[in-house]
Amino acid sequence: MTTNHTTAPGPAFLPIPPAAARIGTVAGAAVALAGTFLAWTWTDEFPGDLTVTGYPGGLQVLTLIGAALTLLLTLSGYGVRGLGWLTPGGTNSPVRLLALGTLGTTGYTLGAIAYDLGGIVNLEPGAWVSGIGALIAAVTALGLPGDQPLDGTATTAWQRFRNSLGAPQAPRAKALPSWAEILIIVAAFGIGLYVFAYGIDTDYTELFIGFLITVGFAFTALHRAGLVSRLTALTTKHRNITLAAALVAAVCFPFTQQKEEYALIGANILIFGTVALGLNVVVGLAGLLDLGYVAFLGVGAYAAALVSGSTMSAIGVEFPFWAAVLTGAGASLVFGVLIGAPTLRLRGDYLAIVTLGFGEIFRLTVNNLNGNSGPDLTNGSQGIPSIPDLNFFGFDFGLKHNILGFDLGRSANYYLLMLVFTAVVVLVFRRSGESRIGRAWVAIREDETAATAMGINAFRLKLLAFALGATLAGLAGTVQAHVNYTVTPEQYQFAGSVPPNSAFLLAAVILGGMGTLSGPLVGAALLYLIPAKLQFMQDYQLFLFGIALILLMRLRPEGLVADRRKQLEFHENDQPDVPEPRQSEETAAGIAKAGA
Amino acid sequence: MTTMTTTTKTATTVLDANGVTMRFGGLTAVRNVDLTVNAGEIVGLIGPNGAGKTTFFNCLTGLYVPTEGKVSYKGTVLPPKPHLVTQAGIARTFQNIRLFANMTVLENVLVGRHTRTKEGLWSALLRLPGFTRAEQASRERAMELLEFIGLADKADHLARNLPYGDQRKLEIARALASDPGLLLLDEPTAGMNPQETRVTEELIFAIRDQGIAVLVIEHDMRFIFNLCDRVACLVQGEKLVEGSPDIVQSDERVVAAYLGTPFEGAPGAEEAAEVEAAEADAAKDAAQTATTSTEEEDTR
Ligand SMILES: Nc1ncnc2c1ncn2[C@@H]1O[C@H](COP(=O)(O)OP(=O)(O)OP(=O)(O)O)[C@@H](O)[C@H]1O
Ligand SMILES: [Mg+2]
């Protein structure tokens, strides 16, 4: 089975005999793995206590996972029976990525230990074992043959390097029985939840950075291996089950978090993601660049705060929550129509600038309705503080409740409430997107003139998208007011330090993938989690954010989650007029295995 | 010529353009043009480059508000709003293909159904009983049209991945989806090879046989004179001649203004240049869309 590896479709990046390269990778990964069971340093001053010999802890676990995955995928490339399913797409490029990721995590850990404790003398032999093992694995992995041929234009070392990390797409999978496919989806969401919860749970910066490195490389590797696309194919096939599984995973999340602050991060990510999804109706579907979207969140939040029974509210009434939600959503809807009606006659850049202006007008107005420079409604820059906690039929959201043996605190309660709203917005996004109205929105986005010539009343439909987006943001705002205890004008600016603001919302949509359902949620999770976890970069947040956006636009302009187009490309492979993608030697091996 | 000519003489007027004038600042692109199209007729509109043919189409379909004149469809005056014109029953294609590039072939046609369906947002959100039925009916009608046009097997392809000729056909299918009484075609065979042109000719006859009147702009003279019951020639915004293909073909003013001296179906230098320009445009567009989605390159 291993013989056919010599007929590689692409050249190796480093000139090492393939057999030696493969042995080196396996050996290196094994050594790195073994090293994680030894002590890496002598003092537990470095967080995570890496002094124990016998079982890995803290950052060592990440090296362990990286090395184990490297081993698994290398063995899969060897043609070991039962592992072939791991690499239906590329075989060697995922190994390379994983080896590099392991080296990255290990190297980062060693560097962090040396930096924190003052010098490399603080490294124990175990650290060197893992470090050298990871290095050997990474270097020899670069000697494995490429998964795709080198095109003539790639001449510089960097281009050859990038090419060696690329892989052809996986051929379509054989259909499994549906229960197996569903089980795979459920397992994938289980793993996803675990990884996400692990990331939120990291309680020191070094571990979070290590986590990011490992996850980043591992995810790319699985993508190259073709597993991500296989999974995507399954989730597209069983969409309702996928949604249900996602919902269950999301419901499980607060049960994994015992710390109040981490549950709060979860609740805030949900708010952020929900608003981003609402914005995706406007930007992603209808193609209207709205730079003042956060104002609608603000309208909803202020409306809810005013009728929440807060002692500082100028109105001083206390609506039941359902009525407050309707008030918030209704107020946002009205504002959406009022702002949309004059501005939506503009196109493109003009629309963006005018919405930016209206967003700021909202903030300034709220700032000035303080009794001095205007009627007293919002307490100006002070905002409306002490918004009381919600209480549903005696279930006080402010208190800790014990459910099934798990303690759910205040943030967890609001997280679960917000999840209901997120589910509603997901449903609205999906159903509206897949209807006559949604198609009309996309048509307007693609070519407004042609859309009107097809009988679409562009202005009306754009207004509808704008109003719907505003309403969804208003819905989220009503919960946000309660989660934050207080609403202030500064929460609703164009660009601020705390994520749900217009710039970050737009970034979440673009980063995640415009027009997709999961994209904005993924984007929001990343954009909230990373700054929340890496407190030290708070001062440079906008700067780093800018750099990240530039890099993203350069490397992956369509966002992390690509929309239907990608799946369509798969689909088109089935059709006779599109040439078959060249089979890599590994898929041939896979077929042989299946036949064996 | 076709045998239908005699039967259409007595038919009702579908389109009646009356004194249509379009000025852009000092430039009068269309000057006082009258044109009628009767039910069951195929009418051709010819003229040299820049004669104002496309501008005239835009005036008919409400994309431009004519400076003077009015357009009526089956007796009612049309408001100059594109979606209302389509609603009334006039559908069109574009000279420079304007498909919804990132939608599938089927979705493009479904967008064409927009005016003939009425399921609103609530219906979609709540999945009211009528919704699924209407959606199903739209899909069936769209597939029928794709079958008719010969693109049914490519229903799930992205519009931008279609070859040029198929894109032109898809534009026609999309226009037909709005169940029009009159179809306006702006250079439907530009960029096609002779074989594709012949297929398009058959297609237009088939459309006419469904009871849809057709008004077609074309530079391919053999195509026009084969196809049309009546031809009008526009020169510098004014209608020079109108009549049966024979009359127009032999009118020396037309020959002088437009066809140049040697006319034997071979495209003149002008037309060749025009076709080239259109193709270059299309190529440029394609290049642009390619750069905006570098995903394929990235994942490989
Ligand atoms: N929006 C506009 N603004 C100003 N001038 C315009 C506009 N649209 C068209 N024109 C001018 O009107 C004239 C007629 O253009 P039109 O596109 O209608 O010609 P055409 O007969 O369709 O030519 P072709 O055969 O090349 O398609 C041209 O001189 C053109 O430059
Ligand atoms: Mg024209």
Side-chain angles (χ1 to χ4, degrees), chain B residues 22-25 27-30 45-58 64 95 186-187 217-219 234 236-237 258 274:
Chain B
M22 185 75 217
R23 282 191 206 97
F24 299 111
L27 174 87
T28 309
V30 176
L45 189 59
I46 58 170
N49 291 129
K53 305 179 296 294
T54 300
T55 307
F56 181 62
F57 261 31
N58 288 344
Y64 291 159
Q95 179 174 354
D186 198 343
E187 303 197 12
I217 296 178
E218 218 1 292
H219 284 294
L234 226 53
Q236 296 195 338
Y258 182 34
E274 143 87 0

Short mmCIF file of all heavy atoms in Angstrom, two decimals, chain B residues 22-25 27-30 45-58 64 95 186-187 217-219 234 236-237 258 274, ligand 1:
data_model
loop_
_atom_site.label_atom_id
_atom_site.label_comp_id
_atom_site.label_asym_id
_atom_site.label_seq_id
_atom_site.Cartn_x
_atom_site.Cartn_y
_atom_site.Cartn_z
N MET B 22 -35.57 61.19 -26.58
CA MET B 22 -34.71 61.11 -25.40
C MET B 22 -33.50 62.01 -25.61
O MET B 22 -32.74 61.82 -26.55
CB MET B 22 -34.26 59.66 -25.18
CG MET B 22 -33.46 59.46 -23.92
SD MET B 22 -34.50 59.49 -22.46
CE MET B 22 -33.42 60.32 -21.31
N ARG B 23 -33.37 62.99 -24.74
CA ARG B 23 -32.20 63.89 -24.83
C ARG B 23 -31.31 63.69 -23.62
O ARG B 23 -31.77 63.60 -22.49
CB ARG B 23 -32.66 65.35 -24.87
CG ARG B 23 -33.17 65.78 -26.22
CD ARG B 23 -33.37 67.28 -26.32
NE ARG B 23 -34.39 67.53 -27.33
CZ ARG B 23 -35.67 67.74 -27.04
NH1 ARG B 23 -36.07 67.78 -25.78
NH2 ARG B 23 -36.55 67.91 -28.01
N PHE B 24 -30.01 63.62 -23.89
CA PHE B 24 -29.03 63.66 -22.80
C PHE B 24 -28.32 65.00 -22.93
O PHE B 24 -27.43 65.14 -23.77
CB PHE B 24 -28.01 62.54 -22.92
CG PHE B 24 -28.61 61.16 -22.84
CD1 PHE B 24 -28.64 60.33 -23.96
CD2 PHE B 24 -29.16 60.70 -21.65
CE1 PHE B 24 -29.19 59.08 -23.89
CE2 PHE B 24 -29.70 59.43 -21.59
CZ PHE B 24 -29.73 58.61 -22.71
N GLY B 25 -28.71 65.97 -22.14
CA GLY B 25 -28.10 67.29 -22.30
C GLY B 25 -28.34 67.76 -23.72
O GLY B 25 -29.48 67.83 -24.19
N LEU B 27 -27.35 66.20 -26.43
CA LEU B 27 -27.40 65.09 -27.39
C LEU B 27 -28.79 64.49 -27.45
O LEU B 27 -29.35 64.10 -26.42
CB LEU B 27 -26.38 64.02 -26.96
CG LEU B 27 -26.41 62.74 -27.78
CD1 LEU B 27 -25.51 62.88 -28.99
CD2 LEU B 27 -26.00 61.56 -26.93
N THR B 28 -29.35 64.45 -28.63
CA THR B 28 -30.66 63.79 -28.77
C THR B 28 -30.41 62.39 -29.28
O THR B 28 -30.11 62.18 -30.44
CB THR B 28 -31.54 64.57 -29.74
OG1 THR B 28 -31.54 65.94 -29.33
CG2 THR B 28 -32.96 64.05 -29.71
N ALA B 29 -30.53 61.43 -28.39
CA ALA B 29 -30.19 60.05 -28.73
C ALA B 29 -31.33 59.40 -29.49
O ALA B 29 -31.12 58.56 -30.37
CB ALA B 29 -29.86 59.25 -27.48
N VAL B 30 -32.56 59.77 -29.15
CA VAL B 30 -33.74 59.25 -29.85
C VAL B 30 -34.63 60.44 -30.16
O VAL B 30 -34.92 61.26 -29.28
CB VAL B 30 -34.51 58.24 -28.97
CG1 VAL B 30 -35.77 57.78 -29.68
CG2 VAL B 30 -33.64 57.05 -28.62
N LEU B 45 -35.28 45.86 -35.14
CA LEU B 45 -34.84 47.25 -35.05
C LEU B 45 -33.36 47.25 -35.37
O LEU B 45 -32.56 46.60 -34.69
CB LEU B 45 -35.08 47.76 -33.62
CG LEU B 45 -34.90 49.25 -33.36
CD1 LEU B 45 -35.83 50.07 -34.24
CD2 LEU B 45 -35.15 49.56 -31.89
N ILE B 46 -33.01 47.93 -36.46
CA ILE B 46 -31.60 47.95 -36.84
C ILE B 46 -31.11 49.39 -36.89
O ILE B 46 -31.89 50.33 -36.75
CB ILE B 46 -31.37 47.28 -38.22
CG1 ILE B 46 -32.19 47.98 -39.29
CG2 ILE B 46 -31.69 45.80 -38.16
CD1 ILE B 46 -31.84 47.54 -40.71
N GLY B 47 -29.84 49.53 -37.09
CA GLY B 47 -29.25 50.85 -37.16
C GLY B 47 -27.80 50.76 -36.78
O GLY B 47 -27.40 49.86 -36.05
N PRO B 48 -27.01 51.69 -37.30
CA PRO B 48 -25.56 51.66 -37.01
C PRO B 48 -25.29 51.88 -35.52
O PRO B 48 -26.17 52.25 -34.77
CB PRO B 48 -24.99 52.79 -37.85
CG PRO B 48 -26.13 53.62 -38.26
CD PRO B 48 -27.37 52.80 -38.19
N ASN B 49 -24.08 51.66 -35.11
CA ASN B 49 -23.70 51.87 -33.70
C ASN B 49 -24.00 53.29 -33.28
O ASN B 49 -23.78 54.24 -34.02
CB ASN B 49 -22.20 51.62 -33.51
CG ASN B 49 -21.86 50.16 -33.68
OD1 ASN B 49 -20.97 49.81 -34.43
ND2 ASN B 49 -22.60 49.32 -33.01
N GLY B 50 -24.54 53.41 -32.08
CA GLY B 50 -24.84 54.73 -31.54
C GLY B 50 -26.08 55.34 -32.13
O GLY B 50 -26.34 56.53 -31.95
N ALA B 51 -26.89 54.55 -32.85
CA ALA B 51 -28.09 55.09 -33.48
C ALA B 51 -29.17 55.38 -32.45
O ALA B 51 -30.11 56.12 -32.72
CB ALA B 51 -28.62 54.11 -34.52
N GLY B 52 -29.06 54.79 -31.27
CA GLY B 52 -30.07 55.03 -30.23
C GLY B 52 -31.01 53.87 -30.01
O GLY B 52 -32.05 54.03 -29.37
N LYS B 53 -30.66 52.71 -30.51
CA LYS B 53 -31.55 51.55 -30.39
C LYS B 53 -31.71 51.15 -28.93
O LYS B 53 -32.82 50.98 -28.43
CB LYS B 53 -30.99 50.36 -31.19
CG LYS B 53 -30.72 50.67 -32.65
CD LYS B 53 -30.16 49.48 -33.39
CE LYS B 53 -28.80 49.02 -32.91
NZ LYS B 53 -27.69 49.97 -33.13
N THR B 54 -30.58 50.99 -28.24
CA THR B 54 -30.65 50.59 -26.84
C THR B 54 -31.33 51.67 -26.01
O THR B 54 -32.14 51.37 -25.12
CB THR B 54 -29.23 50.32 -26.31
OG1 THR B 54 -28.65 49.28 -27.09
CG2 THR B 54 -29.25 49.91 -24.86
N THR B 55 -31.03 52.91 -26.32
CA THR B 55 -31.68 54.01 -25.61
C THR B 55 -33.20 53.94 -25.81
O THR B 55 -33.97 54.15 -24.86
CB THR B 55 -31.14 55.36 -26.13
OG1 THR B 55 -29.73 55.32 -26.05
CG2 THR B 55 -31.67 56.50 -25.30
N PHE B 56 -33.62 53.62 -26.99
CA PHE B 56 -35.06 53.48 -27.28
C PHE B 56 -35.65 52.37 -26.43
O PHE B 56 -36.72 52.52 -25.83
CB PHE B 56 -35.24 53.22 -28.78
CG PHE B 56 -36.68 53.09 -29.20
CD1 PHE B 56 -37.55 54.16 -29.03
CD2 PHE B 56 -37.16 51.91 -29.74
CE1 PHE B 56 -38.88 54.04 -29.41
CE2 PHE B 56 -38.48 51.79 -30.12
CZ PHE B 56 -39.34 52.86 -29.95
N PHE B 57 -34.94 51.25 -26.34
CA PHE B 57 -35.40 50.14 -25.49
C PHE B 57 -35.54 50.60 -24.04
O PHE B 57 -36.50 50.29 -23.35
CB PHE B 57 -34.39 48.98 -25.54
CG PHE B 57 -34.79 47.88 -26.47
CD1 PHE B 57 -35.53 48.14 -27.60
CD2 PHE B 57 -34.43 46.57 -26.21
CE1 PHE B 57 -35.89 47.12 -28.46
CE2 PHE B 57 -34.79 45.53 -27.06
CZ PHE B 57 -35.52 45.81 -28.19
N ASN B 58 -34.53 51.33 -23.59
CA ASN B 58 -34.57 51.81 -22.20
C ASN B 58 -35.76 52.73 -21.97
O ASN B 58 -36.34 52.74 -20.88
CB ASN B 58 -33.27 52.52 -21.85
CG ASN B 58 -32.12 51.55 -21.71
OD1 ASN B 58 -32.33 50.35 -21.57
ND2 ASN B 58 -30.90 52.05 -21.73
N TYR B 64 -35.17 54.60 -18.67
CA TYR B 64 -35.05 56.04 -18.88
C TYR B 64 -36.46 56.61 -18.93
O TYR B 64 -37.38 55.97 -19.44
CB TYR B 64 -34.37 56.37 -20.21
CG TYR B 64 -32.90 56.01 -20.29
CD1 TYR B 64 -32.30 55.83 -21.53
CD2 TYR B 64 -32.12 55.86 -19.14
CE1 TYR B 64 -30.95 55.52 -21.63
CE2 TYR B 64 -30.78 55.55 -19.24
CZ TYR B 64 -30.20 55.37 -20.48
OH TYR B 64 -28.87 55.05 -20.57
N GLN B 95 -28.14 44.17 -23.76
CA GLN B 95 -27.09 44.03 -24.76
C GLN B 95 -25.81 43.47 -24.13
O GLN B 95 -25.22 42.53 -24.63
CB GLN B 95 -26.82 45.40 -25.38
CG GLN B 95 -25.71 45.38 -26.41
CD GLN B 95 -25.59 46.73 -27.10
OE1 GLN B 95 -26.39 47.63 -26.89
NE2 GLN B 95 -24.59 46.87 -27.94
N ASP B 186 -32.24 42.67 -26.93
CA ASP B 186 -31.19 43.59 -27.38
C ASP B 186 -29.96 42.78 -27.80
O ASP B 186 -29.20 42.31 -26.97
CB ASP B 186 -30.85 44.57 -26.25
CG ASP B 186 -30.10 45.80 -26.76
OD1 ASP B 186 -29.59 45.72 -27.89
OD2 ASP B 186 -30.05 46.80 -26.04
N GLU B 187 -29.81 42.64 -29.09
CA GLU B 187 -28.70 41.89 -29.69
C GLU B 187 -28.55 40.49 -29.09
O GLU B 187 -27.53 40.15 -28.48
CB GLU B 187 -27.40 42.69 -29.54
CG GLU B 187 -27.53 44.05 -30.18
CD GLU B 187 -26.20 44.75 -30.45
OE1 GLU B 187 -25.17 44.07 -30.35
OE2 GLU B 187 -26.22 45.93 -30.78
N ILE B 217 -33.40 43.85 -31.49
CA ILE B 217 -32.31 44.65 -32.03
C ILE B 217 -31.23 43.69 -32.47
O ILE B 217 -30.89 42.77 -31.73
CB ILE B 217 -31.70 45.58 -30.96
CG1 ILE B 217 -32.71 46.60 -30.48
CG2 ILE B 217 -30.45 46.28 -31.50
CD1 ILE B 217 -32.18 47.51 -29.39
N GLU B 218 -30.68 43.88 -33.65
CA GLU B 218 -29.59 43.00 -34.07
C GLU B 218 -28.75 43.69 -35.12
O GLU B 218 -29.23 44.53 -35.87
CB GLU B 218 -30.17 41.70 -34.63
CG GLU B 218 -29.48 40.39 -34.35
CD GLU B 218 -28.25 40.39 -33.49
OE1 GLU B 218 -27.19 40.92 -33.92
OE2 GLU B 218 -28.33 39.83 -32.39
N HIS B 219 -27.49 43.33 -35.16
CA HIS B 219 -26.62 43.83 -36.23
C HIS B 219 -26.44 42.79 -37.33
O HIS B 219 -25.97 43.12 -38.41
CB HIS B 219 -25.26 44.20 -35.66
CG HIS B 219 -25.25 45.48 -34.91
ND1 HIS B 219 -25.49 46.69 -35.52
CD2 HIS B 219 -25.06 45.76 -33.61
CE1 HIS B 219 -25.44 47.66 -34.63
NE2 HIS B 219 -25.19 47.11 -33.44
N LEU B 234 -33.16 52.68 -37.52
CA LEU B 234 -32.92 53.91 -36.77
C LEU B 234 -31.56 54.44 -37.18
O LEU B 234 -30.57 53.71 -37.19
CB LEU B 234 -32.90 53.56 -35.27
CG LEU B 234 -33.65 54.42 -34.28
CD1 LEU B 234 -35.10 54.57 -34.69
CD2 LEU B 234 -33.57 53.79 -32.90
N GLN B 236 -29.10 57.80 -36.30
CA GLN B 236 -28.90 59.00 -35.50
C GLN B 236 -30.16 59.39 -34.75
O GLN B 236 -30.57 60.55 -34.74
CB GLN B 236 -28.42 60.15 -36.39
CG GLN B 236 -27.06 59.83 -36.98
CD GLN B 236 -26.39 61.04 -37.56
OE1 GLN B 236 -27.05 62.02 -37.88
NE2 GLN B 236 -25.09 60.97 -37.69
N GLY B 237 -30.79 58.41 -34.16
CA GLY B 237 -31.94 58.68 -33.31
C GLY B 237 -33.25 58.82 -34.04
O GLY B 237 -34.31 58.90 -33.41
N TYR B 258 -26.09 52.59 -43.25
CA TYR B 258 -25.80 51.54 -42.30
C TYR B 258 -24.98 50.40 -42.89
O TYR B 258 -23.96 50.00 -42.33
CB TYR B 258 -27.13 51.01 -41.76
CG TYR B 258 -26.98 49.95 -40.72
CD1 TYR B 258 -25.92 49.97 -39.83
CD2 TYR B 258 -27.89 48.91 -40.64
CE1 TYR B 258 -25.79 49.01 -38.87
CE2 TYR B 258 -27.77 47.94 -39.68
CZ TYR B 258 -26.70 47.99 -38.80
OH TYR B 258 -26.57 47.03 -37.86
N GLU B 274 -17.78 46.02 -33.32
CA GLU B 274 -18.78 46.05 -32.25
C GLU B 274 -18.81 44.73 -31.49
O GLU B 274 -18.81 44.71 -30.25
CB GLU B 274 -20.12 46.38 -32.91
CG GLU B 274 -21.32 45.70 -32.33
CD GLU B 274 -21.89 46.48 -31.18
OE1 GLU B 274 -21.36 47.54 -30.85
OE2 GLU B 274 -22.85 46.00 -30.60
N1 LIG C 1 -27.02 57.54 -20.23
C1 LIG C 1 -26.54 58.22 -21.30
N2 LIG C 1 -26.02 59.45 -21.14
C2 LIG C 1 -25.54 60.13 -22.18
N3 LIG C 1 -25.50 59.66 -23.42
C3 LIG C 1 -25.99 58.43 -23.67
C4 LIG C 1 -26.53 57.64 -22.61
N4 LIG C 1 -26.95 56.45 -23.13
C5 LIG C 1 -26.67 56.51 -24.44
N5 LIG C 1 -26.11 57.69 -24.77
C6 LIG C 1 -25.71 58.10 -26.11
O1 LIG C 1 -26.80 57.91 -26.93
C7 LIG C 1 -26.39 57.45 -28.21
C8 LIG C 1 -27.14 56.19 -28.56
O2 LIG C 1 -26.62 55.10 -27.80
P1 LIG C 1 -27.25 53.66 -27.84
O3 LIG C 1 -26.54 52.87 -26.82
O4 LIG C 1 -28.70 53.77 -27.70
O5 LIG C 1 -26.86 53.17 -29.29
P2 LIG C 1 -27.18 51.78 -29.97
O6 LIG C 1 -27.97 52.06 -31.17
O7 LIG C 1 -27.71 50.83 -28.99
O8 LIG C 1 -25.74 51.36 -30.43
P3 LIG C 1 -25.08 49.90 -30.45
O9 LIG C 1 -25.44 49.29 -31.76
O10 LIG C 1 -23.63 50.21 -30.40
O11 LIG C 1 -25.57 49.18 -29.29
C9 LIG C 1 -24.89 57.27 -28.15
O12 LIG C 1 -24.28 58.40 -28.71
C10 LIG C 1 -24.62 57.23 -26.68
O13 LIG C 1 -23.35 57.74 -26.39
#
